[in-house]
Amino acid sequence: MADYYVNDRAQDNGDHEVHEDGCYWLGLAKSTTYLGNFSSCHGAVRKAKTIYRQSNGCKHCSLPCHTT
């Protein structure tokens, strides 16, 4: 289980990245929303999509959920 956050600032392609606590890229985000504690990135991305329709897993810490 891990804590996950979504970056409130979209990337250039419109994606809001979902990060696992401790990810280097999460530390660079200026504003994030806590999603909760999940057993994998899949649940975290589902939750993020209720906040930001265009959400995606981080290529570095949530690779199984990274699609674009």
Side-chain angles (χ1 to χ4, degrees):
M1 300 285 285
D3 290 322
Y4 285 87
Y5 299 80
V6 62
N7 190 339
D8 295 324
R9 184 171 185 265
Q11 295 183 320
D12 291 340
N13 68 357
D15 284 352
H16 290 265
E17 278 195 326
V18 172
H19 299 278
E20 185 175 322
D21 189 35
C23 177
Y24 170 80
W25 299 103
L26 175 62
L28 298 179
K30 294 185 187 223
S31 177
T32 61
T33 299
Y34 178 68
L35 297 171
N37 192 267
F38 296 90
S39 59
S40 76
C41 60
H42 298 287
V45 170
R46 276 194 301 277
K47 172 77 180 239
K49 286 184 178 196
T50 68
I51 301 167
Y52 299 112
R53 186 171 172 255
Q54 192 172 338
S55 295
N56 193 8
C58 170
K59 180 178 172 182
H60 302 279
C61 68
S62 300
L63 185 58
C65 298
H66 178 75
T67 57
T68 58

